[in-house]
């Protein structure tokens, strides 16, 4: 059961344009959503997050939007740069007893930004 | 001075062997994890460890985490099978209530295990 879904395996955009990566989830217990970026042969690195009580969080060129009623979030990158080319993972956090949490990841979307 | 380091980066071995992947973090984090990324590209949690095993997803008991101290969480795999071939990622985090953050994970570079 995929609780976090990234239905687009890949996305290609031109440098300078907007990249929009989408993510859907099914578990209403998720309280935080995170985006991770992964280059080949490296581990994922944290990019940006959003609390379930907010609908937007912005950090420089990266903005994450959350539509809780639709159980949908998206990551916008504006303007896109060739160095943004990577796999982007959507992740959702759920409580796991006490102060512990569990992150559930989607399959990732490969973003290619063409010069 | 890599924050989370794993060794080896690549491991090729025969079915039935026993192998270990080591993980060390120098971030002072309390919790460490093992994730598996299989051919379908999902990153699935296997274990979460903070002085004791917190999360133990439905992995075969051939897999066992061993933590000699807070900075290390090694993954031992016995009687390796073809289906164990995957990339294994170690990660660490601080509990959100202590770090006032989302408890984001810091990942190692991954260890690619190939079972022949």
């Amino acid at each position: 059961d995929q609780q976090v879904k990234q239905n687009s395996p890949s996305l290609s955009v031109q440098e300078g344009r907007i990249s929009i990566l989408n993510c859907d989830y099914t578990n209403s217990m998720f309280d935080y959503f995170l985006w991770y970026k992964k280059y080949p042969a490296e581990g994922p690195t944290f990019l940006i997050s959003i609390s379930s009580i907010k609908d937007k969080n912005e950090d420089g060129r990266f903005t994450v939007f959350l539509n809780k009623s639709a159980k949908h979030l998206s990551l916008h990158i504006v303007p896109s740069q060739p160095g943004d080319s990577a796999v982007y993972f959507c992740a959702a956090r759920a409580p796991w007893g006490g102060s512990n949490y569990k992150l559930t990841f989607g399959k990732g979307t490969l973003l290619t930004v063409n010069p | 001075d890599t924050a989370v380091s794993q060794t080896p980066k690549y491991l090729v071995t025969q079915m039935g062997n026993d192998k270990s992947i080591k993980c060390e973090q120098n971030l002072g984090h309390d919790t460490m994890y093992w994730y598996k990324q299989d051919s379908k590209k999902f990153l699935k949690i296997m274990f979460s460890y903070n002085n004791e095993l917190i999360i133990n997803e439905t992995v075969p008991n051939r897999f066992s985490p061993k933590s000699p101290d807070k900075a290390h969480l090694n993954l031992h795999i016995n009687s390796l099978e073809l289906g164990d071939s995957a990339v294994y990622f170690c990660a660490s985090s601080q509990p959100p209530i202590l770090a006032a953050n989302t408890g984001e994970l810091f990942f190692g570079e991954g260890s690619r295990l190939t079972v022949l």
Side-chain angles (χ1 to χ4, degrees):
Chain A
D1 59 335
Q2 297 176 42
Q3 296 187 38
V4 178
K5 299 177 188 178
Q6 294 177 258
N7 292 319
S8 298
S10 62
L11 174 68
S12 184
V13 299
Q14 284 299 119
E15 181 177 5
R17 307 294 289 268
I18 184 171
S19 296
I20 301 177
L21 298 112
N22 294 304
C23 179
D24 297 294
Y25 64 95
T26 57
N27 189 344
S28 300
M29 296 299 292
F30 290 142
D31 62 354
Y32 255 95
F33 302 90
L34 301 86
W35 285 93
Y36 280 79
K37 177 179 178 179
K38 184 183 180 303
Y39 292 117
E42 293 185 12
T45 54
F46 171 70
L47 189 58
I48 191 170
S49 65
I50 187 168
S51 164
S52 60
I53 62 173
K54 299 201 171 171
D55 55 19
K56 178 182 175 181
N57 187 26
E58 189 172 354
D59 183 2
R61 297 186 296 113
F62 303 90
T63 303
V64 56
F65 295 91
L66 175 62
N67 182 335
K68 205 171 171 183
S69 60
K71 292 191 170 70
H72 175 84
L73 62 152
S74 58
L75 174 68
H76 292 215
I77 306 174
V78 183
S80 300
Q81 299 173 354
D84 296 329
S85 297
V87 176
Y88 288 79
F89 288 97
C90 174
R93 189 187 90 169
W96 195 267
S99 62
N100 301 303
Y101 291 85
K102 175 184 171 184
L103 283 189
T104 301
F105 285 82
K107 284 177 73 170
T109 297
L110 173 62
L111 173 66
T112 303
V113 180
N114 302 302
Chain B
D1 55 344
T2 308
V4 181
S5 58
Q6 304 177 221
T7 54
K9 201 164 181 177
Y10 300 96
L11 183 54
V12 181
T13 188
Q14 299 286 332
M15 255 191 335
N17 283 351
D18 303 338
K19 290 294 177 185
S20 296
I21 305 172
K22 295 185 178 180
C23 178
E24 176 181 3
Q25 55 99 1
N26 62 10
L27 298 167
H29 287 166
D30 291 330
T31 308
M32 296 184 71
Y33 309 79
W34 278 104
Y35 276 78
K36 177 181 180 181
Q37 186 180 31
D38 58 21
S39 57
K40 294 183 180 176
K41 302 302 182 186
F42 279 108
L43 265 170
K44 291 184 181 177
I45 190 169
M46 301 174 69
F47 302 105
S48 166
Y49 195 97
N50 183 343
N51 292 320
E52 60 180 354
L53 205 55
I54 304 168
I55 297 173
N56 181 355
E57 290 292 88
T58 50
V59 298
N61 56 15
R62 298 181 294 106
F63 291 78
S64 58
K66 297 276 194 306
S67 180
D69 54 58
K70 262 192 171 315
H72 296 84
L73 184 67
N74 303 324
L75 181 66
H76 297 273
I77 316 171
N78 295 328
S79 303
L80 278 156
E81 300 177 357
L82 292 176
D84 297 333
S85 296
V87 181
Y88 292 85
F89 288 96
C90 177
S92 71
S93 74
Q94 277 292 65
I97 58 170
L98 292 179
N101 59 28
T102 53
E104 64 264 27
L105 304 179
F106 292 77
F107 283 90
E109 292 186 332
S111 297
R112 181 175 291 277
L113 171 64
T114 303
V115 182
L116 303 176

